[in-house]
Amino acid sequence: MNSLSAPGLIALVDCNNFYVSCERVFRPDLCNKPVAVLSNNDGCIVARSQEVKDLGIKMAVPVYQVQHLIKRHKIQLFSSNYALYADMSERVMQCLEPYSPQIEVYSIDESFLDLTAICEHSSTAYAQQIKKSIYRATGIPVCVGMGPTKTLAKLANYAAKKWQKTGGVLDLSDPVRKEKLMRLVPVNEIWGVGRQTTQRLQLMGINTAYDLAIQPVESIQAQFNVVIARTVMELKGIACLSLEDIAPDKQQIVCSRSFSRRLTQYHELAEALASFSSRAAEKLRKQHSVTGSISIFIRTNAHNENEPQYQRSIRMVLNQASSDSRKIISIAKKLLQEIFKTGYRYQKCGITLGHIRPAAISHQADLFELSGHQQNKASQLMLTMDNINQRFPKGIAISATHMTNSWQSPVEYRSRHYTTNWDELPLVKCH
């Protein structure tokens, strides 16, 4: 197994309860009060404030199962406001740029930074500076974990969030501090160790991060796989995971959704599927790729034994790869016509784009497809549409997508688009 040279010092900057924090930025009256953010269609809880976590409400729990706690403790609910969260995420990531020449944006609310040879005197003071600058610029609280490897930085961040005495910042470069913490942390809290792996490790008497870190790498690789073996090496302080300057392109793009009410009409499913197809095409163009195959699926609720069941998927391989929303939507709707059946109450549908490759790679042209000139015009049209939608979210839509949105249930608790809509900017009054 090859390992990279020791990176020195890696930091993980992770936003605290990110979706909730975004809502609180514009609702400071909700600080220290229980707040939860809901999934699409307001079905499940997908983000919780610490006050909600302390009530024992789990992640992804359906709202109806905890309705009594919501009422009793006056939990403030918000529908997902992804336009707001994406904009706030971009602002947080921009704040990080002055602090390291090498940054990996790992997800919407966390980034790795290479701090090697940057903060030689006091890594903790440097991390506190990052923490304070982000809060001052965006209002979003973050924690910073540091260590010689990405896995140890993750572990440090876990501890920085869990123990307030850290002040939200922890560096595990010191071996004594690292061992002390690893003896306290359950093995299932280690980055990359899932539930089934945890169960197998516990059967072997490996219950803490320290128990796993002292295992021989060869033995772990023989009993598990190379991924867990790398985790052991990272816990030992040997870097195996490098920072990715650019996130790798997705090899498959999936857009789907469960409906809060069941759909029975073809036109409703077609409209929903067109909306998902449009979104998938946008993601495809954002990474400058094209798709060579399109799959769709529809299904009823498999858990409802009192209703007739039906599920079906279908795929088409394209003669000429494309990222044109119009083409992808058109194919998706044709596929839907082949598998749709009346008499069923559909719970979910979705689209998968496969055979993805960079758009710049030349390919064999199809005699029956668009000419080079026509393709350039189509690409320009999609680029213009994406640019307008980036500046004015949902400013332009393909007519097949959401002219009526009859398939969508209205969300009940959505906050305003404070940062992306002129008509919904926050108002400040001085008395």
Side-chain angles (χ1 to χ4, degrees):
M1 181 183 304
N2 296 324
S3 66
L4 306 175
S5 57
L9 186 63
I10 300 296
L12 174 66
V13 178
D14 190 1
C15 302
N16 300 347
N17 309 320
F18 180 58
Y19 291 176
V20 169
S21 295
C22 289
E23 300 291 352
R24 279 176 166 170
V25 167
F26 301 97
R27 289 286 308 275
D29 58 304
L30 296 178
C31 288
N32 302 317
K33 294 181 180 177
V35 178
V37 175
L38 308 179
S39 62
N40 290 322
N41 299 326
D42 295 347
C44 301
I45 290 177
V46 295
R48 304 159 294 162
S49 67
Q50 188 58 50
E51 295 79 10
V52 173
K53 294 176 185 177
D54 292 342
L55 293 173
I57 296 178
K58 303 296 184 185
M59 192 69 150
V61 66
V63 172
Y64 73 88
Q65 290 186 5
V66 292
Q67 199 62 253
H68 61 295
L69 292 175
I70 292 171
K71 291 181 180 177
R72 184 186 307 163
H73 299 281
K74 299 180 179 177
I75 297 174
Q76 177 70 50
L77 301 179
F78 285 96
S79 305
S80 294
N81 187 343
Y82 293 118
L84 173 66
Y85 308 151
D87 185 69
M88 294 300 290
S89 172
E90 190 173 336
R91 291 166 191 248
V92 170
M93 302 312 167
Q94 286 177 353
C95 291
L96 295 175
E97 291 177 0
Y99 291 98
S100 173
Q102 191 175 8
I103 299 174
E104 175 189 341
V105 178
Y106 183 68
S107 68
I108 193 171
D109 62 349
E110 55 185 339
S111 284
F112 287 102
L113 286 73
D114 188 348
L115 300 184
T116 303
I118 290 179
C119 47
E120 295 176 341
H121 299 296
S122 173
S123 59
T124 303
Y126 195 76
Q128 285 287 1
Q129 186 180 343
I130 294 174
K131 188 172 183 292
K132 290 176 182 175
S133 71
I134 292 174
Y135 188 76
R136 185 169 57 247
T138 67
I140 301 294
V142 303
C143 286
V144 185
M146 294 170 285
T149 69
K150 291 173 76 173
T151 302
L152 287 173
K154 266 276 192 181
L155 188 64
N157 201 291
Y158 163 82
K161 286 183 186 296
K162 187 174 180 63
W163 286 287
Q164 292 187 355
K165 287 195 298 186
T166 62
V169 169
L170 184 63
D171 185 357
L172 290 184
S173 298
D174 179 64
V176 175
R177 182 183 298 157
K178 182 181 74 172
E179 179 178 332
K180 183 178 178 181
L181 175 66
M182 288 201 296
R183 287 181 181 276
L184 296 174
V185 176
V187 71
N188 65 307
E189 295 292 351
I190 299 173
W191 186 34
V193 176
R195 186 172 58 183
Q196 293 185 352
T197 302
T198 296
Q199 292 173 349
R200 290 179 60 191
L201 289 170
Q202 289 174 337
L203 289 174
M204 298 166 59
I206 300 172
N207 297 303
T208 66
Y210 180 78
D211 294 338
L212 183 59
I214 61 174
Q215 298 300 313
V217 175
E218 295 77 11
S219 173
I220 290 295
Q221 183 169 347
Q223 296 182 71
F224 292 87
N225 53 50
V226 68
V227 175
I228 302 301
R230 283 178 181 155
T231 299
V232 174
M233 292 181 69
E234 289 254 321
L235 289 173
K236 293 177 185 292
I238 303 170
C240 298
L241 305 173
S242 60
L243 261 63
E244 303 283 349
D245 293 324
I246 301 174
D249 290 341
K250 294 179 179 177
Q251 298 303 304
Q252 187 181 66
I253 294 175
V254 180
C255 283
S256 64
R257 183 179 293 184
S258 295
F259 308 116
S260 58
R261 69 175 179 86
R262 303 298 174 255
L263 304 187
T264 58
Q265 303 298 315
Y266 170 82
H267 73 87
E268 292 180 310
L269 274 174
E271 189 176 290
L273 190 60
S275 180
F276 303 156
S277 301
S278 179
R279 179 64 183 137
E282 288 176 10
K283 291 182 178 180
L284 190 66
R285 293 192 295 272
K286 191 173 183 179
Q287 65 176 37
H288 306 291
S289 299
V290 292
T291 180
S293 73
I294 297 172
S295 305
I296 69 160
F297 74 89
I298 54 176
R299 75 178 189 213
T300 54
N301 182 2
H303 301 291
N304 190 338
E305 299 177 349
N306 298 322
E307 293 185 351
Q309 298 295 314
Y310 178 74
Q311 61 176 357
R312 184 85 183 275
S313 63
I314 187 170
R315 184 173 75 121
M316 176 183 286
V317 176
L318 308 186
N319 292 328
Q320 188 175 37
S322 175
S323 63
D324 191 316
S325 295
R326 298 166 300 173
K327 181 175 181 178
I328 293 172
I329 291 173
S330 174
I331 292 174
K333 294 180 72 172
K334 287 179 182 176
L335 293 175
L336 179 63
Q337 287 177 342
E338 295 189 32
I339 61 175
F340 176 81
K341 283 187 177 181
T342 57
Y344 294 97
R345 288 160 49 82
Y346 292 96
Q347 181 204 25
K348 188 172 185 177
C349 77
I351 182 171
T352 301
L353 305 182
H355 294 175
I356 291 175
R357 61 175 173 76
I361 294 179
S362 61
H363 58 276
Q364 182 69 46
D366 189 295
L367 290 175
F368 301 101
E369 291 289 347
L370 298 176
S371 66
H373 176 67
Q374 289 173 317
Q375 285 185 37
N376 289 336
K377 288 184 67 176
S379 298
Q380 283 297 322
L381 178 61
M382 291 298 109
L383 178 62
T384 301
M385 191 171 76
D386 290 342
N387 287 338
I388 292 174
N389 281 336
Q390 186 174 6
R391 188 174 179 186
F392 306 103
K394 298 184 179 180
I396 292 182
I398 304 293
S399 60
T401 56
H402 50 78
M403 298 299 287
T404 62
N405 282 343
S406 62
W407 56 278
Q408 285 188 320
S409 297
V411 291
E412 190 173 351
Y413 310 105
R414 177 164 295 164
S415 56
R416 300 164 65 181
H417 296 89
Y418 297 106
T419 62
T420 56
N421 188 328
W422 287 108
D423 296 328
E424 299 182 19
L425 291 177
L427 300 177
V428 178
K429 296 180 180 178
C430 299
H431 298 282

